[in-house]
Amino acid sequence: MQFEPVQEIKNLKTLQTFFHSNSSKFRRCLSFFLSFLFEHMVLYARSWKNFSRDFAARRMMSKVVLFLAFVVAGIVWASMIRIALYSDTWACQSPLSCFSVIWSSSCSKTSNFPDKMRGYAPKPRKRCPIPFAKDPEGLDHSNVRRTPDQLVKGLSYIMEDEPDVNNGWQSLLPFGGGGQKRWFERGESFKLNTTMKVKVHCGFTRSSGAGMTVADMRYVKGCKYVVASGIFNPYSIIHQPTNVSVHSRKLFCFVMLVDEKILSLMKYRETVEEDIHGGLWAGIWRLIPLKHLPYNETRRNEEISKLLIHRLIPQAQYSIWVSSKMVLVADPLLILERYLWREGHSFAISQHGYRHSIYEEAYASKRRKKYSRPRIDTQMRVYQSEGLEPWSTKKRVISDVPEASIIIREHTMMNNLFSCLWFNEVHLFTPLDQLSFGYVAHRLGGESFKYFMFPFCEFNSLFELHSHSWDRFEMRFGGEINVA
């Protein structure tokens, strides 16, 4: 049985009155028991000589002393609990809301009382209405003008393997020899000019990287509008988007990038169908397995599908990347119209719900043990030494920390360059891409790389959040699954 939480009392005077009225009762009870204990201890001390000869009386007094000891221990224990509750309810700013947490946790098997008392309880997601266009069927996307490439006139990628030289070179990218890169080249890649044609390291070369089957390569050549996601761990399941119009189903390619092991697990669950051309489907999603993934970490492999869409699907003009734990509940064509076309943006991402500075995000990541603390510290020291100051209201940007579970972008030269440099930072330091987004945007400059950060409440309205929910397969199927 679940109970609705009691409405919080935010009046501090009410909180103080509550504790003072209860504290007087506790003090009266405590003084009574202490006086009772003191009188009986004195009586016991005075009568010890007389009782020492009487075995029955001595046994009775021992029981009295033991009882009093238990009473004192109970009083001390109750006082400790009261002190703990006092501090927690003060932090809650409401005794009633805090006690409602205790009550609901005692009645719910799935609740976690210590986490709630420490402030880690999941809060209701704040949502706000999004000013979408009324009908996606009436949107004429063919008349939308592409954003001109004003600064970066051309962008090419290092495709040939380079010799493995070891004098001062740093291995920034592991995709074959093309991943070898001098440290100073990292700094040079951020320098822009009006006539530049950029050639950058961006993920993989011809002989290495994320390979696709012939059927998948043939399919993605016809994808100009893409909704992409990726699953590279066995704890996520495929969520089908909702509220997708018939027009968007025909216009968009819904691409789910996976590795070969995850694909085998999906086939085991009988959720995969094969068409006459050899393509694999799970509902609306086209499953595309990537071969020769370089990382043993699933989070780093996921960054390939997240940041290198322009390389995996080079014909794409617009893409919406969605985290695998999110269920898209808005029409993708309406999303493009709202966040890109209406106000002339080419890159849109959500604000973070709680933090603005990457240094605050780094501290929170270490506290929650999201990644190795020394690696996070190294990344922050490098960024600090290269001039990235903590975010403040004096900065022109709304925030340095995004909620990177959705990325809405037009595939312009500048946006593709930004994605390459963002991926390079993710590889070099940590797969926590929220830590490097603000740094890359800072190095490129606010006038060169412009992006739109929409409110976090709108982000909540775009999705329904589902945590990674695949149990271990040994637990679900009652035995071990051998997947090649």
Side-chain angles (χ1 to χ4, degrees):
M1 181 177 181
Q2 298 288 343
F3 292 88
E4 293 294 331
V6 181
Q7 184 177 2
E8 293 189 0
I9 300 174
K10 297 184 179 180
N11 191 343
L12 189 58
K13 293 184 179 179
T14 306
L15 180 63
Q16 293 174 347
T17 304
F18 173 83
F19 281 114
H20 284 305
S21 60
N22 284 331
S23 62
S24 61
K25 296 179 182 179
F26 276 103
R27 284 197 298 269
R28 288 197 298 269
C29 293
L30 182 61
S31 61
F32 171 76
F33 281 113
L34 290 178
S35 61
F36 178 79
L37 175 64
F38 179 74
E39 292 176 0
H40 283 73
M41 290 297 294
V42 172
L43 178 62
Y44 178 77
R46 291 179 178 178
S47 306
W48 175 254
K49 293 182 179 180
N50 297 330
F51 285 138
S52 61
R53 300 177 182 178
D54 190 348
F55 176 76
R58 189 167 64 250
R59 184 177 180 182
M60 181 187 68
M61 287 301 299
S62 299
K63 291 182 178 180
V64 171
V65 172
L66 184 62
F67 170 75
L68 294 176
F70 276 111
V71 170
V72 173
I75 293 173
V76 173
W77 181 251
S79 301
M80 294 174 62
I81 293 178
R82 182 175 177 273
I83 293 172
L85 289 178
Y86 181 88
S87 61
D88 286 327
T89 52
W90 190 275
C92 292
Q93 294 296 318
S94 169
L96 295 179
S97 63
C98 198
F99 293 148
S100 69
V101 170
I102 300 174
W103 178 256
S104 62
S105 65
S106 63
C107 298
S108 175
K109 295 182 180 180
T110 59
S111 61
N112 191 353
F113 168 70
D115 286 346
K116 292 183 178 181
M117 293 299 293
R118 295 190 185 99
Y120 299 150
K123 299 179 181 179
R125 299 171 65 84
K126 182 180 179 182
R127 304 176 187 271
C128 56
I130 304 176
F132 282 135
K134 294 183 179 180
D135 184 15
E137 303 291 344
L139 290 177
D140 187 7
H141 63 277
S142 60
N143 293 331
V144 177
R145 296 183 59 184
R146 295 290 307 275
T147 302
D149 296 311
Q150 297 179 350
L151 185 58
V152 180
K153 301 297 183 179
L155 182 64
S156 59
Y157 312 110
I158 296 176
M159 299 297 295
E160 301 298 333
D161 290 343
E162 297 176 357
D164 187 8
V165 182
N166 208 18
N167 75 30
W169 289 43
Q170 298 289 335
S171 177
L172 289 187
L173 297 173
F175 302 123
Q180 303 295 333
K181 179 179 173 183
R182 290 186 177 92
W183 179 264
F184 78 88
E185 290 181 358
R186 171 179 172 269
E188 292 294 322
S189 61
F190 291 105
K191 297 180 180 179
L192 305 178
N193 57 68
T194 56
T195 59
M196 68 182 305
K197 293 185 178 181
V198 186
K199 190 173 184 179
V200 296
H201 297 263
C202 193
F204 45 84
T205 62
R206 288 192 180 92
S207 61
S208 63
M212 298 182 185
T213 64
V214 176
D216 292 333
M217 287 189 292
R218 187 183 301 114
Y219 173 78
V220 299
K221 284 183 179 180
C223 295
K224 294 184 178 180
Y225 296 80
V226 179
V227 176
S229 186
I231 295 180
F232 296 90
N233 64 80
Y235 303 103
S236 297
I237 61 176
I238 296 179
H239 299 290
Q240 300 296 332
T242 60
N243 302 321
V244 181
S245 64
V246 177
H247 182 49
S248 294
R249 288 177 179 268
K250 296 179 180 179
L251 180 64
F252 282 84
C253 295
F254 291 81
V255 175
M256 178 67 69
L257 300 165
V258 298
D259 61 16
E260 294 177 301
K261 183 176 181 179
I262 296 302
L263 180 61
S264 300
L265 295 176
M266 290 179 178
K267 289 181 178 179
Y268 184 88
R269 292 171 54 86
E270 300 180 357
T271 59
V272 179
E273 298 179 357
E274 185 173 351
D275 60 21
I276 58 176
H277 303 291
L280 303 176
W281 297 85
I284 199 175
W285 294 102
R286 172 65 179 255
L287 301 181
I288 298 183
L290 300 181
K291 302 179 180 179
H292 313 300
L293 291 173
Y295 299 113
N296 294 325
E297 291 182 76
T298 58
R299 285 186 294 180
R300 289 188 184 273
N301 287 329
E302 187 177 5
E303 296 298 324
I304 298 174
S305 66
K306 183 175 184 178
L307 303 181
L308 300 181
I309 289 294
H310 63 287
R311 293 219 59 194
L312 298 172
I313 311 178
Q315 285 76 21
Q317 297 178 2
Y318 297 92
S319 68
I320 302 173
W321 190 88
V322 180
S323 173
S324 60
K325 62 183 179 181
M326 301 291 184
V327 180
L328 186 64
V329 296
D331 188 89
L333 190 59
L334 294 181
I335 293 177
L336 291 182
E337 191 278 333
R338 161 67 182 94
Y339 295 109
L340 297 186
W341 300 337
R342 185 178 302 179
E343 299 180 7
H345 302 296
S346 64
F347 194 102
I349 197 168
S350 171
Q351 303 174 24
H352 195 277
Y354 307 101
R355 289 173 288 279
H356 296 82
S357 172
I358 67 169
Y359 299 105
E360 295 176 357
E361 179 65 21
Y363 176 78
S365 300
K366 291 190 296 182
R367 181 168 56 87
R368 297 179 181 181
K369 300 180 180 179
K370 288 186 175 181
Y371 204 71
S372 169
R373 293 186 176 185
R375 295 293 296 272
I376 295 177
D377 290 336
T378 300
Q379 184 175 5
M380 293 301 102
R381 283 196 296 268
V382 170
Y383 289 172
Q384 188 175 14
S385 65
E386 293 180 348
L388 180 61
E389 298 179 353
W391 182 90
S392 66
T393 55
K394 297 180 181 180
K395 285 192 172 184
R396 296 181 179 180
V397 296
I398 298 176
S399 173
D400 285 338
V401 183
E403 177 52 67
S405 296
I406 178 174
I407 303 175
I408 308 165
R409 56 195 156 189
E410 180 184 1
H411 288 201
T412 63
M413 294 293 181
M414 177 57 72
N415 290 343
N416 293 345
L417 174 62
F418 174 83
S419 298
C420 291
L421 299 179
W422 192 5
F423 179 82
N424 292 347
E425 295 299 305
V426 165
H427 166 74
L428 178 60
F429 295 107
T430 67
L432 306 178
D433 49 41
Q434 292 171 315
L435 299 181
S436 50
F437 175 87
Y439 169 79
V440 178
H442 165 74
R443 289 296 303 270
L444 289 178
E447 296 298 326
S448 301
F449 175 69
K450 298 180 181 180
Y451 57 94
F452 172 49
M453 271 194 146
F454 53 90
F456 184 69
C457 62
E458 292 190 16
F459 166 82
N460 291 333
S461 299
L462 288 172
F463 300 99
E464 290 181 359
L465 175 62
H466 291 260
S467 59
H468 297 295
S469 55
W470 264 9
D471 298 328
R472 292 185 181 275
F473 282 84
E474 294 83 0
M475 296 174 60
R476 175 162 298 190
F477 295 100
E480 185 175 352
I481 296 177
N482 186 14
V483 179

